[in-house]
Amino acid sequence: QVRLVESGGGLVQAGGSLRLSCAASGGIFPVMGWYRQAPGKQREFVATVFSGGTTNYRDSVKGRFTISRDNAKTTVYLQMNSLKPEDTGVYYCRGGPLYTDWGQGTQVTVSS
């Protein structure tokens, strides 16, 4: 059974940094990603990383966020720098053999 557990969220001032982690177990994870959902909005793509190292980012986080993974531990990270209030939301990890599994989410709040 696939399990994804996020950690690392919190409250930070604008311009600050946070590092999210997602520990995955119970399957294979050819691709892992981060998504976020702000209050009253739909969940949106943030970044993905493939097992070979290829990464993709939404335009608004390019240059500020870095996704990485430790294949040995099946853990994916999201380093978030220069945070903005519009980055506020619940951040979800996504993965699994068919990329259909989700974690429970971790709250990120950026104050202005």
Side-chain angles (χ1 to χ4, degrees), residues 48-93:
T48 54
V49 59
F50 290 80
S51 56
T54 301
T55 58
N56 293 289
Y57 298 91
R58 72 178 298 105
D59 286 346
S60 63
V61 308
K62 286 180 181 177
R64 300 189 297 121
F65 290 11
T66 302
I67 189 170
S68 60
R69 63 186 290 169
D70 180 335
N71 286 328
K73 296 181 180 179
T74 322
T75 301
V76 63
Y77 305 96
L78 187 68
Q79 178 66 44
M80 305 186 293
N81 299 327
S82 302
L83 282 161
K84 304 176 181 180
E86 51 264 43
D87 294 318
T88 293
V90 179
Y91 282 68
Y92 296 91
C93 178

Side-chain angles (χ1 to χ4, degrees), residues 2 26-31 95-101:
V2 172
I28 59 172
F29 302 89
V31 57
L98 299 179
Y99 202 48
T100 56
D101 297 282

